[in-house]
């Protein structure tokens, strides 16, 4: 067939027949059929077809051009290069001849031809360096499309980028690098080809009023591909881009130009860029040239030498700063100060992976101290510079693969280029980084003392930034230097009477009840000094050894025992850092820490409670992971506090939810093989409270389980007897326990996938349908809501199959109401109208929380009327706020949401904000005794609902609780 029609196709192309004559139809069908048949042809037949087909491609567009390009691309994919090398070289010439711009050529054929050319060059890799001749010619041919702004220009640019990435070998330019002369370039084929491409790019850029984005993306790739050698080949392009940057106003157009110049900064280095585009200050005219380059240097400087900043940027900044001090005109002074600040803020940029730390850090450290002492505005730059130096050097000293660094560089560009060649960074070896770390460590003690002095005299805003520098220096200084500094500060502040070693005896809780009634200025000043040292402890604790930890913990403990409440929050924060970072030390001093936390007095400041809970969180995680008998008993004491908090006022309840979620997340993300068993242990511990005699505590434990399964619904299936243990409580006599259990079931059916619910549907229905006839406390509405979710996820037939006969009518009415055919309000069990008319007051005080039994003050709204089929299921299912008030049988349709009564409200905006037991605007959200506090507890303690660890006796004698 091919041989029969190939001659007619050739004659058609030679005669250039008009497409309207239709003579090309048979040839087009033949070419299309061959595309399908190519995979099934023999090697000999493919070669024969290829030899006959490639001459069909002509410099002009014909009705067969698309079909020819498609067939050639398919053939080339199945042929080996060595069998058709000469034919491929001939085909490349034909493809390049077709590329020049002609308005009669469809854009898609140009893109296809370029792809075909790239495939040909890829086939010849290792056999021929044809790309050296083809790529410059092809680029010149298609460059007209960039200037004209054709729609295909982006696709063309992408193919050109791929060719550059595939065929320009960076290693060819590394040997000579910037030492290449113009004569050398002319004599080498690779360099000559690159030079030719760069000349054409610059020529096209000079003809444009605004550089096309397609050309700029090619320029960016070339800069990053050539690396330091781009200074030889692309300096004219850089100067042309600088001209655009100075005259362009539109931010959208300027962005791509700045990215290209930024790529030049990364590739060449800022020293080469500044040699071409110098930043200079004219003292007579008080003008500074090329200040537009400063933000680009700030963003794209990586691996630059510190020496460049010290020898060129610092003198320039000081010169402009001195001039600003002499100028009287406010406007000119403002400009000069702006330039000065921009130059100084380059310091952190030059500290990103500098290659000459061991040579120049001594000079830099002196500069940092000078900045801190003389200029109040540059402390952020000094802190950021130290952080970059320490973090970057530590990163390279531990891993010299540079993957993370190149990912960081790639994020700077909107086009996300892949090919990065930063020779300066690649020369920065692990051995060199370790040498630099030693230099940093040798200066760290002096810098640590200086930054600490500056920290103590600074405002709270500045101290937050200076902590970063102190932490970096502490990582390098070692515990001995930190210990000496801390002890000296204690003496300087006249706090020698503060205990610096942990007392081996148990804390006397009587001490916690002491209040210093003296409110003298001296006492206040001492507390302020303690607060400053406590902030330093929270900074130093991360890197402290055991000896230093003794002093830090002793000071913190003394502050908690003897200071006023003004220090409590910071002392607890420092304690939380010690507990988090040093689990062995914390467990060794567990009794002391638990007594300190348990003995905290209630405070109006919520930060004290937050810090206390943070300590509990880290302690609980450590205890669960250790899983020892003596620690397990104390872990239950922390759960006591959390569960009591779940039944207290709104602020404590939310914080307790956050702690439970954080503990669950920490256990899940621990990375150890026992992560699942640790998490299961947490569930099991909470389940232990389901058997306590106090309904108040049982409902709190159910609320905790509801939160935990919402954060990880699938995991709850792996905890033995978890679901069954809660379902049993649906038969509990206490109303608040029933409410909490119904809330648990609602969260369960909302969170689990349908296939898992199918296995649980019988147990769930057996538990909830018992309450389907009870309208009091809105139980009937809650059951209807759960049923609607189950029916939507599992289907009516699956639910009806396992429903007891006496409840089938109720389930049927729920299904009819869901489809909009029937309302529960029409049934025999509907509530009388007098319920709405005569109980106006009760509407305002209905149950607001099914999970915990809290009471609210919200208006009621009717239950949704219908639940259309086909809605989203699973965690996309939401409950309408305030829906389901009053008449539980009224119904209303919602898109993608299931509306329940307010008493069953579950808010899924965020896991930390979802609060079973909370209600919006409820200021009297209290259960009996839930907000009564003892002097020795941080949370609200109930008089009759105190709890202890299941099966254990409380260890606190003074604050004994009875279950």
């Amino acid at each position: 067939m091919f041989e029969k029609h190939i001659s007619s196709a050739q004659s058609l192309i030679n005669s250039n027949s008009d497409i309207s004559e239709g003579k090309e139809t048979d040839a087009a069908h033949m070419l299309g059929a061959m595309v399908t048949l190519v995979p099934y042809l023999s090697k000999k037949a493919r070669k024969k077809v290829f030899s006959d087909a490639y001459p069909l491609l002509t410099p002009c567009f014909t009705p067969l051009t698309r079909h020819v390009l498609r067939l050639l691309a398919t053939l080339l994919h199945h042929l080996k290069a060595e069998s058709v090398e000469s034919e491929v070289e001939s085909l490349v010439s034909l493809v390049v001849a077709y590329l020049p711009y002609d308005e009669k050529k469809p854009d898609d054929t140009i893109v296809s031809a370029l792809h075909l050319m790239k495939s040909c060059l890829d086939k010849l890799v290792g056999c021929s360096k044809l790309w050296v001749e083809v790529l410059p010619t092809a680029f010149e041919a298609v460059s007209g499309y960039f200037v004209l702004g054709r729609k295909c220009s982006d696709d063309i640019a992408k193919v050109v980028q791929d060719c550059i990435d595939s065929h320009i070998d960076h290693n060819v330019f590394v040997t000579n690098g910037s030492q290449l002369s113009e004569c050398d370039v002319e004599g080498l084929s690779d360099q000559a080809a690159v030079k030719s491409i760069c000349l054409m790019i610059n020529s096209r850029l000079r003809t444009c009023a605004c550089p096309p984005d397609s050309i700029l993306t090619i320029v960016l790739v070339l800069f990053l591909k050539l690396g330091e050698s781009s200074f030889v080949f692309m300096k004219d392009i850089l100067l042309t881009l600088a001209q655009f940057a100075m005259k362009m106003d539109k931010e959208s157009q300027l962005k791509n130009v700045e990215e290209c110049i930024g790529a030049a900064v990364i590739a060449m280095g800022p020293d080469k860029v500044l040699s071409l585009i110098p930043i200079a200050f004219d003292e007579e005219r008080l003008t500074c040239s090329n200040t537009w380059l400063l933000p680009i240097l700030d963003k794209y400087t990586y691996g630059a030498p510190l020496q460049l900043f010290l020898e060129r940027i610092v003198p320039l900044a000081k010169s402009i700063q001195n001039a600003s001090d002499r100028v009287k005109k406010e406007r000119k002074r403002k400009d000069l100060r702006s330039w000065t600040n921009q130059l100084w803020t380059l310091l952190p940029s030059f500290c990103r992976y500098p290659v000459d730390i061991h040579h120049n850090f001594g000079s830099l450290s002196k500069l940092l101290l000078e900045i801190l002492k003389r200029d109040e505005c540059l402390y952020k730059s000094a802190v950021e510079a130290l952080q970059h130096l320490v973090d970057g050097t530590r990163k390279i000293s531990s891993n010299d693969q540079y993957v993370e660094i190149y990912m960081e560089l790639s994020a700077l560009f909107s086009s996300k280029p892949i090919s990065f060649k930063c020779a300066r960074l690649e020369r920065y070896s692990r051995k060199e980084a370790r040498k630099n770390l030693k230099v940093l460590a040798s200066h760290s003690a002096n810098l640590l003392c200086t930054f600490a002095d500056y920290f103590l005299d600074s405002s709270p805003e500045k101290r937050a930034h200076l902590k970063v520098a102190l932490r970096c220096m502490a990582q390098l200084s070692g515990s001995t230097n930190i210990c000496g500094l801390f002890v000296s500060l204690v003496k300087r502040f006249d706090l020698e009477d503060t205990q610096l070693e942990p007392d081996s005896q148990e804390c006397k809780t009587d001490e916690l009840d002491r209040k210093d009634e003296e409110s003298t200025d001296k006492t206040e000043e001492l507390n302020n000094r303690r607060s400053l040292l406590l902030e330093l402890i929270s900074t130093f604790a991360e890197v402290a050894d055991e000896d230093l930890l003794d002093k830090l913990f002793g000071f913190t403990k003394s502050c908690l025992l003897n200071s006023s409440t003004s220090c409590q929050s910071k002392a607890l924060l420092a304690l939380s850092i010690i507990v988090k970072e040093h689990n062995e030390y914390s467990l060794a001093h567990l009794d002391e820490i638990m007594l300190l936390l348990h003995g905290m007095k209630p405070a109006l400041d919520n930060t004290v409670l937050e810090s206390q809970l943070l300590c509990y969180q880290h302690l609980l995680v450590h205890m669960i992971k250790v899983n020892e008998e003596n620690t397990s008993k104390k872990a239950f004491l922390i759960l006591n506090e959390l569960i009591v908090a779940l039944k207290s006022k709104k602020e404590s309840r939310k914080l307790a939810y956050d702690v439970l979620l954080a503990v669950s997340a920490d256990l899940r993300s621990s990375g150890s093989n026992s992560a699942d068993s640790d998490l299961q242990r947490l569930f099991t511990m909470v389940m232990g409270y389901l058997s306590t005699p106090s309904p108040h505590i049982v409902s709190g434990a159910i609320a905790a389980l509801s939160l935990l399964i919402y954060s990880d619904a699938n995991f709850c299936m792996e905890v033995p007897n978890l679901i069954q243990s809660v379902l049993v409580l649906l038969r509990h006599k206490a109303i608040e326990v029933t409410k909490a259990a119904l809330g648990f079931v609602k969260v369960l059916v909302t969170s689990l996938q349908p296939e898992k619910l199918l296995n649980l549907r019988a147990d769930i229905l057996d538990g909830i349908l018992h309450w389907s006839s009870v309208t009091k406390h809105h139980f009937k509405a809650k059951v209807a809501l759960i049923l609607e979710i189950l029916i939507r996820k599992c289907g009516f037939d699956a639910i009806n199959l396992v429903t007891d006969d006496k409840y089938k009518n109720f389930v049927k009415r729920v299904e009819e109401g869901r489809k909009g055919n029937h309302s529960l309000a029409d049934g025999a069990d509907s509530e009388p109208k007098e319920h709405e008319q005569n109980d106006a007051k009760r509407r305002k005080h209905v149950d607001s929380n099914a999970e915990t039994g809290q009471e609210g003050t919200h208006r009621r709204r009717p239950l949704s009327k219908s639940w259309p089929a086909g809605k989203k299921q699973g965690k996309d299912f939401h409950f309408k706020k305030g829906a389901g008030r009053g008449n539980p049988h009224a119904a209303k349709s919602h898109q993608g949401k299931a509306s329940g009564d307010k008493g069953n409200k579950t808010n899924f905006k965020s896991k930390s904000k979802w609060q079973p037991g909370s209600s919006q605007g409820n200021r009297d959200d209290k259960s009996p005794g839930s907000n009564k506090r003892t002097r020795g507890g941080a949370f609200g303690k109930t008089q009759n609902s105190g709890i202890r660890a299941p099966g254990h006796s409380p260890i606190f004698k003074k604050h004994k609780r009875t279950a």
Side-chain angles (χ1 to χ4, degrees):
M1 181 184 70
F2 182 78
E3 292 177 351
K4 177 181 177 181
H5 293 284
I6 190 66
S7 58
S8 62
Q10 187 66 54
S11 61
L12 266 174
I13 292 173
N14 293 336
S15 62
N16 196 20
S17 300
D18 187 75
I19 192 170
S20 63
E21 297 179 9
K23 296 179 181 179
E24 79 290 342
T25 304
D26 291 341
H29 287 168
M30 178 270 297
L31 293 172
M34 289 306 300
V35 171
T36 305
L37 294 173
V38 163
Y40 307 100
L41 297 177
S42 65
K43 295 180 181 180
K44 184 177 180 181
R46 288 173 190 165
K47 183 177 179 181
K48 177 68 169 65
V49 173
F50 184 77
S51 300
D52 291 339
Y54 82 82
L56 297 178
L57 186 63
T58 65
C60 299
F61 175 75
T62 70
L64 299 178
T65 300
R66 285 190 179 89
H67 302 285
V68 172
L69 289 171
R70 186 182 174 196
L71 176 59
L72 290 173
T74 306
L75 285 166
L76 203 60
H77 178 71
H78 289 85
L79 287 171
K80 292 185 178 180
E82 58 270 14
S83 62
V84 287
E85 183 176 347
S86 59
E87 287 88 347
V88 170
E89 292 180 354
S90 300
L91 174 59
V92 170
S93 301
L94 293 175
V95 172
V96 173
Y98 179 76
L99 292 177
Y101 175 75
D102 185 342
E103 62 180 8
K104 294 182 180 180
K105 296 176 183 177
D107 289 350
D108 63 305
T109 61
I110 298 298
V111 176
S112 297
L114 265 180
H115 278 291
L116 182 59
M117 181 200 75
K118 181 182 181 300
S119 298
C120 291
L121 295 178
D122 291 344
K123 280 286 182 184
L124 297 175
V125 169
C127 304
S128 169
K129 273 205 169 185
L130 187 61
W131 75 268
V132 173
E133 300 174 7
V134 172
L135 199 53
T137 306
F139 183 82
E140 184 176 13
V142 298
S143 60
Y145 291 92
F146 301 141
V147 178
L148 293 174
R150 297 292 291 265
K151 292 182 179 179
C152 64
S153 59
D154 289 338
D155 294 328
I156 293 174
K158 180 66 172 62
V159 180
V160 173
Q161 291 175 50
D162 291 341
C163 290
I164 290 171
D165 192 48
S166 300
H167 299 288
I168 295 180
D169 186 3
H170 170 73
N171 295 323
V172 174
F173 307 97
V174 169
T175 303
N176 298 317
S178 59
Q179 299 176 1
L180 285 171
S181 65
E182 297 296 329
C183 296
D184 293 330
V185 170
E186 293 294 342
L188 297 172
S189 59
D190 294 65
Q191 286 84 344
V194 171
K195 181 182 179 184
S196 177
I197 293 172
C198 292
L199 288 173
M200 280 185 284
I201 291 175
N202 192 46
S203 176
R204 289 297 186 183
L205 286 174
R206 288 182 177 275
T207 61
C208 301
C210 179
D213 292 344
S214 51
I215 291 184
L216 292 178
T217 56
I218 296 173
V219 170
L220 189 147
V221 169
L222 271 173
F223 271 126
L224 297 175
K225 184 71 175 180
L226 295 175
E228 289 180 321
S229 301
S230 60
F231 180 73
V232 174
F233 299 98
M234 303 183 70
K235 56 185 176 184
D236 291 334
I237 295 177
L238 178 59
L239 292 172
T240 302
L241 292 173
Q243 295 296 323
F244 282 118
M246 286 187 284
K247 66 182 182 182
M248 292 175 69
D249 297 326
K250 292 184 179 180
E251 185 176 349
S252 59
Q253 296 175 343
L254 187 59
K255 179 183 176 183
N256 291 332
V257 174
E258 289 182 343
E259 284 193 1
C260 285
I261 298 174
V265 173
I266 291 175
M268 298 181 184
D271 49 342
K272 300 288 179 56
V273 173
L274 288 172
S275 68
L276 296 174
I277 312 171
I279 299 174
F281 178 61
D282 189 332
E283 295 189 10
E284 294 183 2
R285 298 182 179 180
L286 297 179
T287 58
C288 191
S289 61
N290 297 318
T291 54
W292 58 268
L293 184 60
L294 293 174
I296 299 176
L297 291 173
D298 184 30
K299 184 176 181 181
Y300 294 97
T301 298
Y302 279 80
L306 290 173
Q307 184 178 2
L308 176 63
F309 182 83
L310 295 171
E311 293 182 357
R312 293 187 61 176
I313 305 299
V314 172
L316 181 62
K318 290 182 176 180
S319 177
I320 299 176
Q321 189 170 4
N322 293 334
S324 68
D325 294 337
R326 298 192 302 267
V327 171
K328 296 182 180 179
K329 292 183 178 180
E330 183 63 28
R331 184 175 180 180
K332 179 58 70 175
R333 187 187 300 113
K334 185 177 179 180
D335 290 340
L336 292 172
R337 288 177 178 173
S338 174
W339 298 334
T340 303
N341 290 335
Q342 288 185 74
L343 287 167
W344 280 118
T345 52
L346 290 178
L347 174 58
S349 305
F350 279 84
C351 290
R352 296 190 198 112
Y353 314 107
V355 296
D356 58 344
I357 294 178
H358 57 286
H359 292 305
N360 293 288
F361 186 72
S363 302
L364 179 64
S365 63
K366 294 177 182 178
L367 178 65
L368 292 174
L369 299 180
E370 181 182 347
I371 289 174
L372 289 176
K373 292 177 181 178
R374 297 181 58 182
D375 199 313
E376 291 290 319
C377 302
L378 296 178
Y379 67 93
K380 290 183 182 179
S381 295
V383 168
E384 191 177 351
L386 272 177
Q387 186 178 14
H388 285 326
L389 280 174
V390 175
D391 292 347
T393 308
R394 288 165 67 94
K395 182 188 297 183
I396 294 180
S397 66
S398 59
N399 181 13
D400 57 354
Q401 298 302 312
Y402 307 105
V403 176
E404 293 182 15
I405 299 175
Y406 283 144
M407 288 177 62
E408 184 180 344
L409 292 173
S410 179
L412 298 173
F413 302 100
S414 55
S415 59
K416 299 293 181 292
I418 300 175
S419 298
F420 277 100
K421 295 297 177 183
C422 189
R424 295 180 308 283
L425 288 176
E426 292 177 357
R427 288 195 295 265
Y428 195 178
S429 65
R430 182 184 299 183
K431 181 179 179 180
E432 193 77 11
R434 288 173 178 171
K435 184 191 298 184
N436 289 337
L437 270 180
K438 291 181 181 179
V439 173
L440 290 172
S442 66
H443 292 82
S444 60
N446 187 30
L447 286 174
L448 183 67
C449 294
T450 304
F451 273 88
D453 289 340
Y454 190 64
F455 171 88
L456 297 172
D457 295 331
S458 299
S459 63
E461 180 186 359
K462 290 183 180 180
R463 291 202 297 270
H465 292 278
L466 293 170
K467 280 183 182 180
V468 177
L470 287 169
R471 185 173 291 109
C472 291
M473 291 297 100
Q475 291 174 347
L476 299 174
S477 296
S479 292
T480 303
N481 291 326
I482 298 173
C483 187
L485 171 64
F486 183 74
V487 171
S488 67
L489 291 176
V490 171
K491 293 179 180 179
R492 188 201 303 182
F493 283 171
D494 295 327
L495 297 174
E496 289 97 331
D497 57 335
T498 305
Q499 186 177 349
L500 288 183
E501 296 290 341
D503 193 355
S504 59
Q505 299 179 355
E506 288 189 359
C507 300
K508 303 297 183 182
T509 53
D510 292 338
E511 292 178 334
L512 297 172
D513 295 329
R514 293 185 306 175
K515 260 193 175 179
D516 186 3
E517 304 202 358
E518 298 178 5
S519 56
T520 60
D521 293 340
K522 182 178 180 181
T523 303
E524 185 177 352
E525 178 62 25
L526 287 175
N527 285 331
N528 289 336
R529 294 173 182 175
R530 288 190 182 98
S531 296
L532 288 174
L533 290 184
L534 287 168
E535 285 192 59
L536 286 177
I537 289 176
S538 65
T539 304
F540 296 152
E542 182 179 344
V543 296
D545 60 9
E546 187 170 357
D547 292 337
L548 178 57
L549 280 174
D550 283 340
K551 290 182 169 52
L552 300 183
F553 177 58
F555 187 89
T556 303
K557 174 182 171 182
S558 180
C559 290
L560 286 172
L561 291 172
N562 302 315
S563 301
S564 66
T565 56
S566 62
C567 293
Q568 283 183 351
S569 176
K570 291 181 180 178
L572 286 171
L573 181 60
L575 182 60
S576 71
I577 301 297
I578 294 174
V579 172
K580 177 184 178 182
E581 300 296 337
H582 304 279
N583 56 332
E584 293 183 3
Y585 186 88
S586 303
L587 295 176
H589 295 79
L590 185 58
D591 289 342
E592 294 176 86
I593 296 173
M594 290 288 289
L595 286 167
L596 286 171
L597 295 174
H598 184 76
M600 291 301 303
K601 298 185 180 76
L604 296 176
D605 186 3
N606 209 39
T607 57
V608 174
L609 181 58
E610 290 179 8
S611 301
Q612 183 186 20
L613 282 173
L614 197 58
C615 294
Y616 278 136
Q617 172 190 327
H618 300 314
L619 279 175
L620 185 57
V621 171
H622 295 331
M623 292 177 188
I624 292 175
K625 287 182 178 180
V626 170
N627 191 26
E628 295 178 354
E629 185 177 356
N630 61 328
T631 58
S632 296
K633 294 177 181 179
K634 294 162 187 173
F636 277 109
L637 294 171
I638 295 179
L639 280 178
N640 288 356
E641 300 287 348
L642 296 177
I643 290 175
V644 170
L646 291 175
K647 303 294 294 183
S648 63
K649 66 177 184 178
K650 182 177 179 180
E651 292 80 5
S652 299
R653 185 165 61 245
K654 180 186 182 304
L655 291 172
Y657 288 144
D658 291 339
V659 168
L660 279 172
L661 282 175
V663 170
S664 175
D666 288 345
L667 293 175
R668 188 182 300 109
S669 62
S670 63
S672 64
N673 295 328
S674 62
D676 287 346
S677 59
D678 291 340
L679 187 58
Q680 183 171 315
R681 197 171 299 118
L682 172 64
F683 276 87
T684 305
M685 291 174 69
V686 178
M687 288 170 59
Y689 293 96
L690 298 179
S691 59
T692 57
S694 168
H696 199 62
I697 300 308
V698 174
S699 63
I702 297 174
L705 290 172
S706 300
L707 181 73
L708 290 173
I709 69 167
Y710 176 64
S711 65
D712 193 349
N714 292 326
F715 188 79
C716 74
M717 304 291 293
E718 302 177 18
V719 181
N721 301 319
L722 169 60
I723 296 173
Q724 289 75 12
S725 298
V726 180
L727 292 177
V728 167
L729 295 174
L730 286 167
R731 305 274 182 169
H732 203 282
K733 295 179 180 180
I735 296 300
E736 66 175 314
V737 173
T738 304
K739 288 181 180 179
L742 284 172
F744 175 91
V745 175
K746 182 177 65 177
V747 175
L748 181 70
V749 300
T750 302
S751 304
L752 282 181
Q753 296 299 320
E755 57 271 15
K756 295 185 178 180
L757 280 176
L758 285 171
N759 298 326
L760 296 171
R761 67 190 190 279
D763 293 335
I764 292 174
L765 291 174
D766 182 62
I768 66 172
L769 289 177
H770 173 72
W771 297 100
S772 61
S773 61
V774 180
T775 57
K776 192 176 181 180
H777 305 296
H778 303 279
F779 283 165
K780 184 174 182 178
K782 302 174 196 298
V783 172
L785 177 59
I786 295 170
L787 269 176
E788 288 174 352
I789 303 171
L790 282 171
I791 292 171
R792 183 178 303 108
K793 287 190 170 186
C794 302
F796 174 73
D797 293 338
I799 299 302
N800 191 54
L801 182 66
V802 295
T803 302
D804 193 275
D805 290 341
K806 62 181 177 179
Y807 300 118
K808 284 186 180 291
N809 288 335
F810 177 78
V811 175
K812 184 178 180 181
R813 287 199 304 274
V814 171
E815 168 64 3
E816 290 173 349
R818 193 179 71 86
K819 292 182 176 179
N821 299 326
H822 185 272
S823 172
L824 285 176
D826 299 331
D829 295 330
S830 61
E831 292 181 325
K833 294 182 179 179
E834 299 87 71
H835 186 280
E836 288 189 23
Q837 297 172 353
N838 299 330
D839 293 339
K841 292 183 179 180
R842 196 163 71 92
R843 296 176 189 174
K844 298 180 180 179
H845 299 282
V846 294
D847 167 20
S848 67
N849 192 293
E851 289 82 356
T852 61
Q854 303 286 329
E855 301 233 341
T857 58
H858 293 289
R859 297 179 181 178
R860 68 178 185 178
R861 292 174 60 183
L863 182 66
S864 62
K865 181 177 181 180
S866 62
W867 298 95
K871 296 298 179 76
K872 280 189 176 182
Q873 300 179 0
K875 290 195 177 183
D876 289 334
F877 180 81
H878 293 265
F879 301 102
K880 188 82 171 181
K881 176 182 175 183
R885 289 282 172 212
N887 182 2
H889 312 298
K892 186 176 181 180
S893 177
H894 294 285
Q895 287 294 331
K897 296 184 179 181
S899 299
D901 63 292
K902 187 64 180 177
N904 239 343
K905 172 175 174 266
T906 305
N907 195 349
F908 293 106
K909 292 182 180 178
S910 78
K911 294 179 182 178
S912 64
K913 292 184 179 181
W914 177 73
Q915 302 175 23
S918 66
S919 57
Q920 299 295 330
N922 181 7
R923 300 185 182 279
D924 297 317
D925 188 9
K926 302 175 183 178
S927 293
S930 63
N931 280 344
K932 295 180 181 180
R933 303 190 180 196
T934 64
R935 290 177 59 83
F939 299 119
K941 312 292 191 299
T942 60
Q943 289 179 339
N944 299 317
S945 299
I947 55 178
R948 60 171 174 255
H952 300 293
S953 300
I955 65 170
F956 299 130
K957 304 300 182 183
K958 187 166 185 72
H959 296 279
K960 182 177 181 181
R961 305 179 187 185
T962 59

